Amino acid sequence: MALIDSVIVFVVSLLVGALGIYAGARVVTDYEDYTYAIVTALIGAIIWGIVGFLFGWIPLLGPLLVLIAYVAVIQFRYPGGWGDAVLIALIAWIASLVVLYALALVGIGALEAVGVPGA
C-alpha cells in the first residue's frame, strides 16, 4: 500500500509542478501544451536531482549550479532566451506555491511540486 501511496503523491506532485511550468510558459511565451509541461517538469526534476547530487554539496556554488541547470532545461524546451526561461521558472514557482497552498487549505498538505525547485 505504501508503494501505491508514493506513486499517487509523485503523480499529483508532478501534475502540480507541470501546472506551474504551463502557467509560466503560457504567460511568457504563449505556449499552450500541458503535456509538454509535464515532460519538462519530469526532465527538470531529473536534471535537478543529478546536478544536486553531483554539485549540491558545494556551498553557494552547488545550489546556484542546480538552479542554472533547471533553468537550462526550461530554456532548452521553450522558445525564447535565458531571460524568458528565468521568468517561466519564477512564474512556475509562484503558481506551484499557490496550488500547494490551496491544496493544504483543503487538507492535502503532503505534496511537493515535482519539477519546480523549492515548491
Side-chain angles (χ1 to χ4, degrees):
M1 195 56 132
L3 177 63
I4 293 172
D5 291 344
S6 294
V7 169
I8 290 170
V9 167
F10 175 78
V11 168
V12 172
S13 297
L14 179 63
L15 294 176
V16 170
L19 182 64
I21 292 172
Y22 171 80
R26 185 164 183 203
V27 168
V28 175
T29 66
D30 289 332
Y31 200 87
E32 297 185 26
D33 188 345
Y34 185 65
T35 304
Y36 197 77
I38 291 171
V39 173
T40 303
L42 187 57
I43 294 169
I46 291 168
I47 296 298
W48 177 271
I50 291 170
V51 175
F53 176 76
L54 296 174
F55 304 106
W57 58 271
I58 302 171
L60 297 176
L61 182 61
L64 181 61
L65 289 174
V66 173
L67 183 59
I68 290 170
Y70 172 73
V71 172
V73 169
I74 293 173
Q75 194 274 329
F76 177 75
R77 300 269 302 157
Y78 286 97
W82 284 94
D84 286 345
V86 168
L87 285 174
I88 291 170
L90 180 62
I91 292 169
W93 180 72
I94 293 168
S96 296
L97 287 179
V98 168
V99 170
L100 291 173
Y101 180 75
L103 289 172
L105 286 177
V106 296
I108 304 171
L111 297 175
E112 298 177 348
V114 171
V116 177

